């Protein structure tokens, strides 16, 4: 069974641009969560999706948004990039939203210049 | 969300057992204790979880105190590949999927 796939693996953007990151969950998994990891703040929860609906959102500004498609694939978008958005963005999938084991992808490393 | 407290870092010798402690004095009755680890340049991976009884799997063992206010992750024979950051997390299973990560314990394995 293929694991969680995140694309692209690396991305370089400049301030003010926007970016879209993609996540393909494990086949059969319907819940997708996103996390941001930085050296200063560690791993922080961004949002959680199940059946195309956002169920939970972390404490991030509205520039961070996401969506989930009917095939459970998910995208997250960051608009008007700031230097502080440089981070590793991780996606995790699980069977459903009931706190099952989460399987993480390798992440997308975003650098904002 | 209930919080956990872990040492910032620990060291262990290769091929010896490692005991990683975690305190969670405000744990509620519906909180499961989960452990994840993050190897260098990888996303976190699930290690083990439990509610009240001790648990074993191929990766590790989880020992849970009788009052559930603390737990210990046991790696029976550490290898260099076990060098990682280990996160002890409380999850109210059945409510939602989000994981609130703490700082974790950075485990160094000495050859």
């Amino acid at each position: 069974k293929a694991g969680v796939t995140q694309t692209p693996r690396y991305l370089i953007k400049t301030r003010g641009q926007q970016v879209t990151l993609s996540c393909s969950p494990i086949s059969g998994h319907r819940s997708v969560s996103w996390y941001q990891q930085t050296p200063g703040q560690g791993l922080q929860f961004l949002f959680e999706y199940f059946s195309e609906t956002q169920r939970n959102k972390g404490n991030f500004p509205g520039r961070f948004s996401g969506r989930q498609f009917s095939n459970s694939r998910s995208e997250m978008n960051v608009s008007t990039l700031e230097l502080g958005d440089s981070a590793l963005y991780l996606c995790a999938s699980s069977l459903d939203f009931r706190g099952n084991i989460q399987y993480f992808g390798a992440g997308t490393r975003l650098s904002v210049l | 969300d209930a919080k956990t407290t872990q040492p910032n870092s620990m060291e262990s010798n290769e091929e010896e057992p490692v005991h990683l402690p975690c305190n969670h004095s405000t744990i509620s009755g519906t909180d499961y204790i989960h452990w994840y680890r993050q190897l260098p340049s990888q996303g976190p991976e699930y290690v083990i979880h439990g509610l009240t009884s001790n648990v074993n799997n191929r990766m590790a063992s989880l020992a849970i105190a009788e009052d559930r206010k603390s737990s210990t992750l046991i790696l029976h024979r550490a290898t260099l590949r076990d060098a990682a950051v280990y996160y002890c997390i409380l999850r109210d299973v059945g409510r939602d999927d989000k994981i609130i990560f703490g700082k974790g314990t950075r485990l160094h394995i000495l050859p």
Side-chain angles (χ1 to χ4, degrees):
Chain A
K1 217 179 203 183
V4 176
T5 304
Q6 292 188 247
T7 55
R9 287 296 312 279
Y10 303 92
L11 207 47
I12 300 174
K13 292 286 188 178
T14 55
R15 273 187 306 172
Q17 287 187 310
Q18 77 162 20
V19 67
T20 299
L21 311 182
S22 180
C23 172
S24 293
I26 290 172
S27 177
H29 284 192
R30 297 171 61 196
S31 178
V32 173
S33 298
W34 288 88
Y35 298 83
Q36 181 197 64
Q37 185 170 30
T38 59
Q41 299 298 319
L43 273 156
Q44 292 187 283
F45 170 77
L46 276 159
F47 12 71
E48 172 196 339
Y49 286 90
F50 177 79
S51 288
E52 303 177 67
T53 301
Q54 187 181 90
R55 296 197 74 250
N56 260 306
K57 189 175 194 302
N59 190 23
F60 279 82
R63 300 185 296 106
F64 291 81
S65 63
R67 58 179 178 167
Q68 186 181 34
F69 303 95
S70 59
N71 62 358
S72 294
R73 191 177 70 83
S74 177
E75 288 181 348
M76 68 162 281
N77 184 278
V78 188
S79 62
T80 320
L81 284 166
E82 300 176 0
L83 296 178
D85 297 333
S86 295
L88 180 66
Y89 290 88
L90 291 156
C91 165
S93 78
S94 65
L95 282 170
D96 57 37
F97 59 85
R98 296 188 188 89
N100 290 294
I101 295 169
Q102 290 203 359
Y103 297 85
F104 285 79
T108 294
R109 170 82 56 191
L110 172 65
S111 297
V112 182
L113 306 179
Chain B
D1 295 306
K3 291 184 68 171
T4 63
T5 304
Q6 299 177 253
N8 289 333
S9 67
M10 289 183 63
E11 263 184 11
S12 180
N13 294 319
E14 197 178 8
E15 298 187 6
E16 290 187 357
V18 181
H19 291 235
L20 295 160
C22 180
N23 288 317
H24 28 77
S25 58
T26 59
I27 190 170
S28 73
T30 54
D31 281 332
Y32 280 73
I33 302 157
H34 282 239
W35 285 81
Y36 281 73
R37 73 179 185 180
Q38 187 172 19
L39 303 168
S41 303
Q42 295 188 27
E45 65 173 347
Y46 167 81
V47 178
I48 199 166
H49 77 282
L51 183 63
T52 56
S53 305
N54 295 344
V55 185
N56 300 297
N57 66 21
R58 64 172 182 79
M59 286 181 71
S61 296
L62 176 59
I64 301 172
E66 207 168 316
D67 63 5
R68 300 211 323 127
K69 293 184 187 296
S70 66
S71 60
T72 303
L73 177 71
I74 303 163
L75 306 179
H76 294 287
R77 200 162 162 270
T79 69
L80 294 176
R81 291 186 302 173
D82 291 320
V85 178
Y86 286 78
Y87 297 96
C88 170
I89 299 149
L90 300 182
R91 301 188 70 194
D92 189 352
V93 176
R95 195 175 74 176
D96 58 40
D97 242 14
K98 70 179 182 184
I99 296 178
I100 304 299
F101 287 91
K103 300 290 186 190
T105 296
R106 183 172 295 279
L107 177 63
H108 301 273
I109 304 296
L110 306 174

